[in-house]
Amino acid sequence: MRVAAIDCGTNSIRLLIADVNEGVLTDVVRTMVVVRLGEGVDQTGQFSQAALTRTFAAIDTYVQLIAEHKPERVRFVATSASRDVSNRAEFAEGIQQRLGIDLDVISGDEEAQLSFLGATADLLNSANPPKAPYLVVDIGGGSTEFVLGTTSPDAAISTNVGCVRMTERHLRNDPPTAEQIAGATADIDAAIALAGQVVPMPQAQSLIGLAGSVTTVAAIALGLEEYDPHAIHGSRISAQTVHEVTQNLLSMARQERAAIGSMHEGRIDVIGGGALVLDRILTLTGIAEVFVSERDILDGIARALATS
């Protein structure tokens, strides 16, 4: 079955058109645009008109790709930022006009479950799979999901820390001050402690990290001159290396971060916040490394579409 999954997060909107056959997912189109939909939401409680304009422009491009490749089913999923805003109806109307389908604002729990499905279905069949149980962490723009499980999620929670939210709330200087980093660290640590009340993290034998902040940190750790998803997928990055990359990113000015060959333009301003979330998870759980996955909630949405 050919399906189309759209994941609209706080920082980026992504499209996956894929053929799913007996559990094997084959990409037809996989693309991303950084639209920063959640820009300012933490302060204003609503989407800005500029952010909506950027997002609708990206969706118009996706409409053309969907028309070209003719999937049988299409689902548009929105996550953290869309749960928090007062003008969600305006966003939903724009989706309906362009795609002819309803905006599907999912709960943090469903977001966590779809992330787990997307991440683990592919990695568990790899030559060097991580050990179960897995703690899957999906670090987004506005939220981070924690999921523990083996073949399916046993416990999950979504927390309100992410690369955009931490940057806007705390890391305002370029580079951020020690006081700002301490404030972000305190926020992240509190979220991890909250997650630990629901998700028994000490049971985890492996940490699987998802989404752009994690994969960008991995690309830097691997010394890649340009972003290479094939080299990143399935890589193992030690906690010490993540810490070193994070400290370096937080000490850099924007111009220095922009000069990193593997850095996507849309992550230059927020990567420090995302790296700090990953660093604190590794530090507080005591897990020795992160197993990096290029497959995430987008793949989970596609797999769920094919079996629904």
Side-chain angles (χ1 to χ4, degrees), residues 75-243:
R75 187 181 183 191
F76 187 108
V77 166
T79 53
S80 175
S82 300
R83 290 196 287 265
D84 302 337
V85 294
S86 59
N87 59 339
R88 185 197 297 183
E90 181 181 357
F91 184 40
E93 183 180 355
I95 303 304
Q96 178 63 236
Q97 288 176 349
R98 288 165 172 81
L99 284 163
I101 59 175
D102 291 334
L103 168 66
D104 192 353
V105 180
I106 59 174
S107 68
D109 284 346
E110 185 177 0
E111 184 175 357
Q113 291 166 1
L114 289 169
S115 294
F116 185 91
L117 173 63
T120 59
D122 183 66
L123 285 180
L124 304 191
N125 295 320
S126 64
N128 189 21
K131 293 181 180 179
Y134 323 105
L135 177 62
V136 175
V137 293
D138 186 341
I139 302 172
S143 66
T144 295
E145 284 66 53
F146 296 79
V147 197
L148 183 76
T150 301
T151 57
S152 61
D154 296 322
I157 189 172
S158 179
T159 60
N160 283 329
V161 293
C163 61
V164 174
R165 202 181 293 265
M166 290 301 94
T167 301
E168 291 187 351
R169 188 178 292 176
H170 297 288
L171 309 176
R172 298 191 181 98
N173 284 31
D174 181 39
T177 65
E179 183 179 7
Q180 290 170 349
I181 294 169
T185 299
D187 245 12
I188 294 163
D189 287 1
I192 296 169
L194 174 66
Q197 296 175 19
V198 176
V199 177
M201 299 185 198
Q203 294 180 15
Q205 294 297 306
S206 303
L207 177 71
I208 300 176
L210 319 182
S213 290
V214 176
T215 59
T216 300
V217 167
I220 295 169
L222 294 168
L224 301 181
E225 294 185 4
E226 59 183 28
Y227 193 92
D228 181 353
H230 299 291
I232 293 166
H233 186 60
S235 62
R236 296 170 182 258
I237 311 299
S238 73
Q240 180 59 36
T241 300
V242 169
H243 183 69

Side-chain angles (χ1 to χ4, degrees), residues 32-88:
M32 176 190 78
V33 181
V34 173
V35 294
R36 202 67 59 80
L37 177 62
E39 186 175 48
V41 165
D42 199 45
Q43 287 78 37
T44 66
Q46 64 180 12
F47 293 137
S48 71
Q49 289 304 307
L52 285 172
T53 297
R54 292 193 298 267
T55 305
F56 288 149
I59 293 169
D60 287 339
T61 301
Y62 291 175
V63 167
Q64 295 174 12
L65 289 168
I66 289 168
E68 178 183 348
H69 294 285
K70 299 179 175 58
E72 297 173 50
R73 295 177 181 172
V74 181
R75 187 181 183 191
F76 187 108
V77 166
T79 53
S80 175
S82 300
R83 290 196 287 265
D84 302 337
V85 294
S86 59
N87 59 339
R88 185 197 297 183

